[in-house]
């Protein structure tokens, strides 16, 4: 690790307080505030570090997500960038690893297709090249298998698939659900019809 400061915020003292040099390094500098330690404001660098540590402890975050959180807390932009640079140098922030984790988690838990995952990654500030590399771990076969499992799970028990009106209604509902998960309409309808055909065939085979 490359020298991230102690995450606990420090109050400035009469002897000096922390600052950020032109090259982004953390260093001590003269204290131009009150000579009374209790009257000094918290060092923004330490405050920013604490915020980032807490955010990363709760869950993995992209750099943009952390930058937005620092902005919400009114951390000066130059301080925020310097702190985020140091965390990134220490590999505590890694957008490529975050993207890989996000794709694995959301494809498994939410059965999202690549289209939806790509949009989510973009919203979190992941660039197109990094997103594409993360999405490569999700194959077309994986994507379709997840969609089939979801359709089978969401097909309402007792649906009469021999009744055309009931089947059409189920098809529209299930295809719309897959579309919201990021599947293309033609792909969604094909997968739904294949699953319904399989279920209907199984129903006919039951005594």
């Amino acid at each position: 690790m490359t020298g991230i400061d102690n995450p606990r915020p420090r109050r400035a003292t009469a002897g000096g307080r922390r600052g950020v040099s032109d090259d982004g390094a953390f260093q001590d500098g003269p204290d131009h505030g009150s000579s009374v330690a209790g009257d000094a404001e918290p060092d923004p660098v330490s405050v920013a570090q604490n915020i980032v540590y807490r955010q990363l402890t709760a869950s993995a975050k992209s750099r943009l997500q952390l930058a937005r959180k620092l902005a919400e807390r009114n951390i000066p932009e130059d301080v925020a960038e310097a702190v985020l640079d140091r965390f990134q140098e220490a590999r505590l922030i890694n957008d490529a690893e975050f993207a890989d984790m996000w794709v694995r988690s959301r494809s498994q838990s939410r059965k999202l297709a690549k289209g939806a995952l790509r949009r989510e990654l973009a919203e979190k500030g992941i660039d197109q090249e990094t997103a594409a590399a993360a999405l490569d771990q999700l194959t077309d076969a994986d994507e379709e298998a997840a969609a089939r499992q979801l359709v089978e799970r969401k097909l309402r028990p007792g649906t009469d698939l021999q009744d055309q009106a009931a089947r059409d209604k189920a098809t529209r509902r299930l295809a719309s659900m897959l579309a919201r998960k990021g599947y293309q309409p033609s792909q969604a309808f094909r997968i739904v019809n294949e699953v319904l055909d399989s279920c209907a065939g199984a129903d006919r085979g039951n005594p």
Side-chain angles (χ1 to χ4, degrees), residues 1-5 18 20 23-27 45 49 63 80-93:
M1 195 170 291
T2 59
I4 298 294
D5 285 347
R18 303 284 292 174
V20 182
D23 62 1
F26 298 165
Q27 62 181 16
V45 173
Q49 288 180 334
R63 177 168 177 139
E81 288 300 307
V83 168
L84 293 174
D85 284 346
R86 292 295 296 275
F87 274 80
Q88 191 164 325
E89 290 168 7
R91 296 188 64 80
L92 296 176
I93 300 173

Side-chain angles (χ1 to χ4, degrees), residues 62-90:
S62 69
R63 177 168 177 139
L64 180 62
Q65 286 177 291
L66 294 168
R68 287 170 174 166
K69 183 59 64 175
L70 293 175
E72 289 173 7
R73 296 290 298 275
N74 298 317
I75 299 297
E77 185 176 354
D78 60 333
V79 173
E81 288 300 307
V83 168
L84 293 174
D85 284 346
R86 292 295 296 275
F87 274 80
Q88 191 164 325
E89 290 168 7

Side-chain angles (χ1 to χ4, degrees), residues 107-134:
S107 64
Q108 293 171 10
S109 64
R110 299 294 303 279
K111 309 300 183 186
L112 297 181
K114 291 181 180 180
L117 292 167
R118 187 177 292 106
R119 287 192 296 272
E120 290 189 343
L121 291 173
E123 290 169 359
K124 297 181 185 307
I126 305 302
D127 64 75
Q128 291 184 1
E129 183 177 351
T130 302

Side-chain angles (χ1 to χ4, degrees), residues 95-105 121 130 133-135 137:
D95 278 359
E97 291 180 2
F98 170 82
D100 285 345
M101 176 278 300
W102 187 265
V103 168
R104 287 195 301 272
S105 174
L121 291 173
T130 302
L135 290 167
Q137 66 188 303

Side-chain angles (χ1 to χ4, degrees), residues 83-194:
V83 168
L84 293 174
D85 284 346
R86 292 295 296 275
F87 274 80
Q88 191 164 325
E89 290 168 7
R91 296 188 64 80
L92 296 176
I93 300 173
N94 187 311
D95 278 359
E97 291 180 2
F98 170 82
D100 285 345
M101 176 278 300
W102 187 265
V103 168
R104 287 195 301 272
S105 174
R106 300 285 284 178
S107 64
Q108 293 171 10
S109 64
R110 299 294 303 279
K111 309 300 183 186
L112 297 181
K114 291 181 180 180
L117 292 167
R118 187 177 292 106
R119 287 192 296 272
E120 290 189 343
L121 291 173
E123 290 169 359
K124 297 181 185 307
I126 305 302
D127 64 75
Q128 291 184 1
E129 183 177 351
T130 302
L135 290 167
D136 279 346
Q137 66 188 303
L138 183 62
T139 67
D140 292 342
D142 292 335
E143 194 176 58
E144 292 221 356
R148 291 175 187 279
Q149 292 171 7
L150 189 58
V151 170
E152 291 168 355
R153 191 168 73 234
K154 295 295 185 178
L155 178 61
R156 290 168 181 163
T159 301
D160 184 3
L161 297 177
Q162 307 304 322
D163 180 87
Q164 191 61 47
R167 173 167 175 148
D168 288 347
K169 182 178 180 180
T171 299
R172 289 193 297 271
R173 179 178 65 83
L174 294 168
S176 295
M177 174 197 65
L178 289 183
R180 291 193 297 272
K181 299 285 186 179
Y183 293 86
Q184 295 297 315
S186 59
Q187 182 187 26
F189 277 103
R190 175 177 58 77
I191 291 172
V192 169
N193 280 310
E194 288 174 357

Side-chain angles (χ1 to χ4, degrees), residues 13-54:
T13 66
R17 60 180 180 179
R18 303 284 292 174
V20 182
S21 67
D22 291 338
D23 62 1
F26 298 165
Q27 62 181 16
D28 289 329
D31 185 358
H32 300 295
S34 169
S35 60
V36 180
D39 293 337
E41 293 184 357
D43 170 22
V45 173
S46 296
V47 172
Q49 288 180 334
N50 262 326
I51 293 169
V52 173
Y53 271 119
R54 286 196 298 270

